[in-house]
Amino acid sequence: MSAQKIETPRSSVVPGEHEHVIDRPGLPERIKNRVRGLGPRDPWLRRLWLVGLGLLGVQLLAMVIWSTILWSHFSLTQDYSMYHQAWWLISHGDLDPKIYFFVVGHPFWQNNFELLMWPLAILGVIFPHGPVLLILQDTCLFGAEVVAWAWMAEATSSIRSHCAQRLLCATGLVLLLGNPWAWTAI
């Protein structure tokens, strides 16, 4: 008798036993379906949602350009110089940086126990350029605006009146893009 190798059908294999999750059939289709499922279902609202994402992307580009101009003209505040000094010192190996702006020799970690600068210092090792923190700040603001825009689009999609739905969604986008505090924050 010859020994026959019994093959298990691919669908009955539990991920983690013999194959990786990425190797399972249908993953590209699931990713495409998930991306198509983002945003509102109504075609008009979906177009407005995509236009809003594009406009927020243009705003991100404008903010990055503005931050770079501020950096190149030395037009930043004393707060930014304190954070940049701590970021630079931590990324260059000084894990207990002293800040010399408000109180001479004040340890940075005692500034409201702000520990986020230590993980951000990894970027200082990879990208040791000056405006990296400003570009990171602009990108985080863009991410917050995208989340707010997605919430607005989702909230307005539950309104029955299509006219009110479109008007509220467009108004939310205009208010989000025209928010002067976003520009003041950067």
Side-chain angles (χ1 to χ4, degrees):
M1 289 188 130
S2 66
Q4 286 184 344
K5 183 177 179 185
I6 300 174
E7 292 193 25
T8 349
R10 290 184 66 84
S11 60
S12 68
V13 175
V14 177
E17 278 187 10
H18 301 292
E19 67 176 305
H20 195 272
V21 175
I22 293 176
D23 296 334
R24 288 193 342 215
L27 183 66
E29 291 81 23
R30 288 196 316 259
I31 291 173
K32 287 178 190 173
N33 290 337
R34 185 157 295 172
V35 168
R36 282 188 204 121
L38 294 175
R41 305 282 183 256
D42 178 37
W44 195 92
L45 272 181
R46 181 145 181 93
R47 281 192 296 267
L48 180 63
W49 187 67
L50 292 172
V51 165
L53 288 178
L55 290 173
L56 288 173
V58 169
Q59 183 187 31
L60 170 66
L61 182 65
M63 286 181 172
V64 167
I65 291 170
W66 180 246
S67 294
T68 307
I69 289 171
L70 287 176
W71 173 265
S72 65
H73 290 153
F74 305 104
S75 298
L76 299 166
T77 62
Q78 198 173 26
D79 285 343
Y80 178 77
S81 59
M82 179 181 70
Y83 284 98
H84 186 267
Q85 179 188 14
W87 176 73
W88 191 88
L89 288 171
I90 295 167
S91 68
H92 286 80
D94 185 3
L95 297 180
D96 188 20
K98 306 288 188 275
I99 305 303
Y100 294 98
F101 287 102
F102 301 118
V103 179
V104 176
H106 182 72
F108 180 75
W109 65 270
Q110 289 182 359
N111 183 28
N112 297 325
F113 203 61
E114 296 176 24
L115 299 178
L116 187 60
M117 201 56 67
W118 277 262
L120 290 179
I122 296 170
L123 284 175
V125 174
I126 299 170
F127 303 108
H129 309 293
V132 170
L133 273 181
L134 293 171
I135 293 170
L136 180 67
Q137 175 184 345
D138 298 341
T139 307
C140 290
L141 182 66
F142 167 75
E145 287 180 334
V146 166
V147 168
W149 174 234
W151 284 343
M152 282 186 234
E154 183 180 339
T156 57
S157 66
S158 64
I159 298 173
R160 292 187 187 259
S161 169
H162 290 293
C163 182
Q165 188 181 57
R166 295 169 182 171
L167 181 66
L168 281 174
C169 198
T171 303
L173 178 62
V174 167
L175 290 174
L176 190 62
L177 288 170
N179 182 7
W181 294 110
W183 288 92
T184 305
I186 65 162

